[in-house]
Structure formats: C-alpha cells, structure tokens
Amino acid sequence: MDYRRYIAERILIDGVKKEEIEENLAVPPDSSMGDYALPCFKFAKVLRKSPVAIAEELKEKFPVGGEIKEVSAVNGYLNFKVDKRSLAEEVLNQILTEKERYGASEEGKGKTVCIDYSSVNIAKPFHIGHLSTTVLGGALYRIFQFLGYRAVGINHLGDYGTQFGKLICAYKHWGNKEEVEKGGIHAVNDLYVRFNNEATEEMEKEAREYFRLIESGDQEANALFEWFKELTLSYVKKIYDKLHISFDSYAGERFYTDKMQPVIDELNEKKLLKESEGAKIVDLEKFNMPPCLILRSDGASLYATRDLAAAIYRKNTYDFDKCLYVVAYQQNLHFKQVFKVLELMGKEWAKDLVHVAYGMVSLEDGAMSTRKGKVVWLEEVINKCVEKAYTVIDEKNPALENKAEVAEKVGVGAVVFGALYNNKIKDIVFSYDKALNFEGETSVYVQYTCARARSVLDKAIAEGYSWNDGIIEPCASEAELIKALASFPATVKAAAENYEPSYIARFAVDAAQKFNKFYIDCKILQAGDEERKFRLRLTQAALIALTNALTLLGIGVPDKM
Ligand code: ARG
C-alpha cells in the first residue's frame, strides 16, 4: 500500500495533478505532527489563496476514515495520521511476499533505456576519475531493469585517435613483447607516458604515420592495436567483475569509422554543414554555443562526429525510449552541441538523449590524475580499501569466518557507496577512514545492520520460533521503521526519474538508522508471543528492503560481520 498515493487520490486541487500532490507529500521529522504532511505553499499561486486557507479548505473536504485516522491543518500544512496498525500489516505483508522483488515494478515494460557508461580509453589508465561513471551507470542499469525496462549497457570505448600511433611508435622504439605481456596495461601506459615526455620531432612524425597505417587497414599496425585493446579490456573486466558491472555492447569510437560518412552526407543535404577555415562545422551561434566541429581541415573526424553516428546507430539498433550518457560535467558543452545538432537534423528523438553529468572524485590524500605521471589507478583504491576493511573487521570480530570474503564486500562496497551517496553533481573527496566507519553514513553501517538483523532471525530459528503472522499496535520506533521501509518503492522510482542512485543510498542509511533504533528500543526474542512474531516480521522486512537497496547499488551483503 502506498500511503502517498492513497492520500493524493483523495485530494482535489484544481489545476494540480495527482502526481504533483503525491510528490509533495512529505514525511515530517516529528511524527507527533503527523505521518505525512502536504505543504500548501506551492499551490497558493494557482489557487490565489493563502496556504493557511488552502490547508483549512482541503482539511474540510478530506474523507477521514479507512486508512486515514486524522487530518489537521497547521500553518499552511495539511497533516495526516494514518492507522499505524493497518499500515504495519500492509507494509509487512507486501515486503514479505515480494521479497527480492520488493520495490520492483513493471512500469518500464516494453521500454528501452540505453546507458553509455564507464566508456574507458584503450591503453590509458583506468583511474579514480572513472569510478563515478562506472558505478553510477551500473546502478542506473540495475534500477531501470528493476522497474521493468530493457536496459542496454554500452561501453563507448575510447579506441580512436592519434594516440594509438604514438603508442605503436613508442613500442617499436622502447618496448618488447615479454615486458608488455608481463606488465599488461601498466606497461602499455608507461610507453605512452614515455612518448609524451621524450618523443622527438622525428618520432612524432612516425607516430602520425602509424596512425595512418591503422586507418588504412595495415595488418601489423592493426594487430598491435588489437593487442593493446585486448590488454586493456581484460584488465578492466577484472575490475568490472569486482564492481558487479557488465555491458551489453563494447561498440567504441572505432566502431563508427564507416558510419560517419552517411551522417556527413545527411548534414550536407540538410544544409547544416559550413566551411570554416578549411574545416567543416555546424554553426550553433543562434543557440549561444560555439560551432560543433565535424571534420578537421585535414579531413579527420572528431569525437563529436563519432557521437553523432553513435546516437543514430543506437536509435536504429535499439529503438530506445531514452539514451543516457553518464559522463563528467566537463563534457556538458560537448553533449549540448551533439544533441542540438541531432535536433537540427530533424531527429525528433533528440529530446530523449540525456547527459547524466556528475562531479569529480578525489582522494583525501592526494590529487586525482595528472597527464604525465602521477595517476591514481582505481584498482589501487579498491585494493587499499579492501585491505583496510580487513584490518577493521579483524579488530572488531577476530573470530569471524571468511574474513577475506567479508572484507572484499565491505571494501568494494565502501568505494562504490562513496561515489553514490551524494547527489551526483557534487564533487567528492574520498576518505578511506570515513568510508569504513561502522557508525557513519556508510555502506559498512548498512551492511552491519543487515548482519545484525540476520543474526536475530538465525537465533529465532535456532530457538524454534516462526513468524508468519503477528500484529500489534506499533510503538513510535516501530512505526518510524515501517514508514521508512514503505518508502522504498517510491524511492526507486524517483531514483530512476532523476538519475540519482543517491536516493537509494540515502534510503539505506535512513532505514538502517531506524532499524537500529527499533533494535535498541524493543525486545525482540524476549518479548511476548504476539510482539515477538511481529518484531521478527519487521526484522525480516528490514533485511529484505536493505538488501534490495544495496543490491541495486552493486554492493554485496555479507551474512555475518
Ligand atoms: N571516453 C570518453 C572519456 O573518457 C567518454 C566517452 C563518453 N561517451 C560518449 N558517448 N561520448 O572522456
């Protein structure tokens, strides 16, 4: 039962949609005021009345009874008290029957969402700057699937460009097979860095020639390129596994080599292409943007050209309802330009392209990444966090079995959660100690809460208890927990609508805090029969909702901690 919906359906405000009323229904921090409250300030303009008067009028008209016990109007707020016992029964039944589907829906049935995320660059470091796109994209992928959409995960590989000519040149001069095979992506990257530091004029010229050779299909150059690509992909795939990330397509920039000419022809036909200093551009001055460069004066295509071809290809191939690009805000202009050009080409679906921009992640103890040298590899951050997690767990519970396995879930979870807890556009400073704080707003806090709930249930089973039914009038901390758990389906929906997995992360922390308050305030196993059954149901429901939340974020839940 969705109380917000239930209430919204019973309120009529001229010119305001039910959905808007539903969205505005808040849960007041102090539940003595009410379980739900509708602030009426927003409607003052449409209705040309004061919020106080609106709240009073709505109160008079509201049909009290059924699920709603009491309605009051206070200072422009319309407050609702629900019948807590029937609320509890509804919510518990729903969670305990739906289990791992609790929060899921079919609203996306028949719809497709393409998600372009992680999009690594071949032969370049997979560094901490890639954390957000990877885990945000992965979370959005699972969230949309959970809501019934077909999700298509696309890794738009950065595998096109002159840097591969440089790499081959560096390899020819300084590299050898054994070393690269042994050192993998790190060895490849070292060659690239060395080229940038040491290359002579002569080598720069050679590099351009190697790039031309790749383009013209030269066998040796392409074999080397493919080798570097493979090394990169087998390396990043190991990290994707750790992060529970997968893709349906690895069609990168190179894939569009033969798909750009038709786009250029179409731009020409539609008279959108202009000559400017030998280059071809689409003029966007009317839209207050710099021109979108399509072909350089030497005829070479650009990043934007490939993105135009990619968008058209995706529409033709997947017929998406939405296509998301999970890419840092530094590329705001790029996507605005690409989307605008598609709109000018008459692609009505250009409105379905969304740049899901996010802020920067840096480490507390150092800068993020620099061009020629000091780069923080994501793998290092994950490994370090897992190591630290091991130390923390070992201190807290030395007798724990499978410590390494638990540390893996806790450490990886902390890195993921660190990137997902805040509103995505915010810059984040990652701190190992804060991320691994058992008392903080952290994944380990939520994981620990799950382990605590599970241990209560295990003990109950060991004592021979069962809990198929059992209902009491909930006390304040029980009612708060129930309300928090009840908000999960709406939270998942809002997370998808706003492309904000952080809503789910916040839900998890909030629900965990409320579970722990309940756990401290109420006896569970020592309580009387009816209470015990009710509280065991509540404990199990909390475990289900928290597990679903963490799973959507890509975070594992250890059984014991
Ligand atoms: N490889 C690019 C980068 O690292 C990101 C690609 C994003 N996707 C896209 N379709 N442009 O900056």
Side-chain angles (χ1 to χ4, degrees), residues 116 119 121 130 156 158 253 303 307 314 325 327 331 334-335:
D116 175 327
S119 299
N121 300 317
H130 295 111
H156 187 75
E253 293 186 44
Y303 181 50
D307 257 327
R314 288 173 193 175
Y325 297 81
V327 185
Q331 295 192 28
H334 165 74
F335 286 107

Side-chain angles (χ1 to χ4, degrees), residues 74-298:
V74 181
N75 299 331
Y77 284 88
L78 190 61
N79 296 324
F80 301 89
K81 282 198 176 158
V82 304
D83 181 329
K84 294 198 176 58
R85 192 183 170 111
S86 62
L87 170 74
E89 187 58 27
E90 289 268 6
V91 174
L92 291 181
N93 273 338
Q94 192 188 347
I95 300 176
L96 297 176
T97 36
E98 294 180 359
K99 297 207 174 72
E100 64 280 351
R101 294 283 301 158
Y102 179 58
S105 83
E106 293 294 315
E107 68 167 74
K109 213 173 163 183
K111 293 196 188 132
T112 298
V113 184
C114 289
I115 311 176
D116 175 327
Y117 62 107
S118 198
S119 299
V120 290
N121 300 317
I122 299 302
K124 291 237 189 103
F126 191 50
H127 58 75
I128 179 123
H130 295 111
L131 172 63
S132 298
T133 173
T134 306
V135 301
L136 268 171
L140 289 171
Y141 185 90
R142 280 181 292 266
I143 292 167
F144 277 102
Q145 267 188 340
F146 203 51
L147 296 177
Y149 292 81
R150 171 172 75 131
V152 181
I154 302 172
N155 200 323
H156 187 75
L157 300 176
D159 54 3
Y160 193 101
T162 49
Q163 74 264 30
F164 297 105
K166 294 180 185 174
L167 191 57
I168 292 177
C169 178
Y171 176 72
K172 289 270 183 179
H173 280 260
W174 305 310
N176 70 67
K177 191 150 189 238
E178 295 73 56
E179 239 168 60
V180 170
E181 222 124 60
K182 213 172 115 227
I185 184 157
H186 294 275
V188 174
N189 182 244
D190 288 345
L191 284 171
Y192 184 64
V193 171
R194 183 160 173 198
F195 186 96
N196 282 332
N197 288 328
E198 297 177 23
T200 56
E201 269 303 304
E202 189 54 34
M203 285 176 74
E204 294 279 358
K205 232 175 92 189
E206 268 176 50
R208 281 194 291 276
E209 177 57 15
Y210 278 121
F211 175 60
R212 203 193 56 74
L213 283 174
I214 301 179
E215 290 298 282
S216 62
D218 176 80
Q219 254 195 356
E220 195 209 354
N222 273 286
L224 283 171
F225 169 77
E226 288 299 330
W227 182 41
F228 296 139
K229 179 167 165 181
E230 218 124 89
L231 285 172
T232 310
L233 287 185
S234 71
Y235 171 82
V236 291
K237 278 179 186 168
K238 274 190 271 161
I239 299 175
Y240 290 151
D241 284 346
K242 270 187 201 279
L243 295 172
H244 310 285
I245 298 286
S246 63
F247 296 91
D248 302 290
S249 161
Y250 278 88
E253 293 186 44
R254 263 188 93 67
F255 178 76
Y256 298 101
T257 306
D258 61 352
K259 297 174 181 62
M260 288 184 278
Q261 192 54 46
V263 180
I264 293 160
D265 293 343
E266 189 176 338
L267 285 168
N268 245 331
E269 265 161 45
K270 297 188 167 151
K271 307 222 172 328
L272 291 165
L273 220 48
K274 269 197 190 159
E275 207 55 62
S276 165
E277 294 165 33
K280 304 267 194 220
I281 61 157
V282 176
D283 186 6
L284 297 174
E285 207 186 333
K286 256 199 263 168
F287 310 99
N288 287 321
M289 281 183 245
C292 184
L293 207 52
I294 305 292
L295 290 176
R296 281 205 310 246
S297 53
D298 63 1

Side-chain angles (χ1 to χ4, degrees), residues 185-474:
I185 184 157
H186 294 275
V188 174
N189 182 244
D190 288 345
L191 284 171
Y192 184 64
V193 171
R194 183 160 173 198
F195 186 96
N196 282 332
N197 288 328
E198 297 177 23
T200 56
E201 269 303 304
E202 189 54 34
M203 285 176 74
E204 294 279 358
K205 232 175 92 189
E206 268 176 50
R208 281 194 291 276
E209 177 57 15
Y210 278 121
F211 175 60
R212 203 193 56 74
L213 283 174
I214 301 179
E215 290 298 282
S216 62
D218 176 80
Q219 254 195 356
E220 195 209 354
N222 273 286
L224 283 171
F225 169 77
E226 288 299 330
W227 182 41
F228 296 139
K229 179 167 165 181
E230 218 124 89
L231 285 172
T232 310
L233 287 185
S234 71
Y235 171 82
V236 291
K237 278 179 186 168
K238 274 190 271 161
I239 299 175
Y240 290 151
D241 284 346
K242 270 187 201 279
L243 295 172
H244 310 285
I245 298 286
S246 63
F247 296 91
D248 302 290
S249 161
Y250 278 88
E253 293 186 44
R254 263 188 93 67
F255 178 76
Y256 298 101
T257 306
D258 61 352
K259 297 174 181 62
M260 288 184 278
Q261 192 54 46
V263 180
I264 293 160
D265 293 343
E266 189 176 338
L267 285 168
N268 245 331
E269 265 161 45
K270 297 188 167 151
K271 307 222 172 328
L272 291 165
L273 220 48
K274 269 197 190 159
E275 207 55 62
S276 165
E277 294 165 33
K280 304 267 194 220
I281 61 157
V282 176
D283 186 6
L284 297 174
E285 207 186 333
K286 256 199 263 168
F287 310 99
N288 287 321
M289 281 183 245
C292 184
L293 207 52
I294 305 292
L295 290 176
R296 281 205 310 246
S297 53
D298 63 1
S301 66
L302 288 113
Y303 181 50
T305 325
R306 295 185 284 280
D307 257 327
L308 291 172
I312 294 170
Y313 175 84
R314 288 173 193 175
K315 183 65 190 175
N316 291 338
T317 307
Y318 304 112
D319 193 23
F320 56 73
D321 293 88
K322 284 238 179 299
C323 179
L324 315 182
Y325 297 81
V326 187
V327 185
Y329 63 64
Q330 281 83 350
Q331 295 192 28
N332 276 353
L333 176 62
H334 165 74
F335 286 107
K336 268 173 74 179
Q337 290 177 313
V338 168
F339 298 171
K340 184 51 94 183
V341 171
L342 288 163
E343 186 192 315
L344 293 174
M345 289 172 85
K347 312 287 180 202
E348 53 78 31
W349 47 264
K351 64 178 191 333
D352 304 323
L353 305 171
V354 184
H355 175 202
V356 178
Y358 59 82
M360 224 164 69
V361 180
S362 54
L363 288 181
E364 200 177 42
D365 57 4
M368 191 199 93
S369 71
T370 54
R371 218 156 183 208
K372 297 189 179 177
K374 197 178 163 271
V375 173
V376 182
W377 293 69
L378 180 54
E379 187 186 24
E380 276 169 35
V381 177
I382 295 174
N383 289 347
K384 191 164 164 187
C385 204
V386 170
E387 260 167 50
K388 289 196 178 229
Y390 190 95
T391 314
V392 177
I393 290 162
D394 194 35
E395 248 166 50
K396 252 193 122 81
N397 188 357
L400 184 71
E401 287 170 37
N402 316 324
K403 262 182 274 189
E405 209 179 289
V406 175
E408 175 82 15
K409 284 184 179 158
V410 169
V412 173
V415 175
V416 173
F417 203 80
L420 295 182
Y421 189 61
N422 287 299
N423 199 297
K424 63 183 181 289
I425 202 67
K426 274 198 190 163
D427 291 337
I428 303 161
V429 180
F430 183 80
S431 145
Y432 294 99
D433 293 336
K434 281 191 194 134
L436 289 171
N437 181 355
F438 272 67
E439 315 291 325
E441 296 176 11
T442 56
S443 47
V444 60
Y445 174 72
V446 181
Q447 287 168 321
Y448 187 70
T449 305
C450 289
R452 172 177 269 179
R454 190 181 299 275
S455 113
V456 172
L457 298 174
D458 285 348
K459 273 191 204 131
I461 292 170
E463 311 227 337
Y465 295 136
S466 58
W467 55 91
N468 292 323
D469 49 25
I471 188 77
I472 57 169
E473 180 71 27

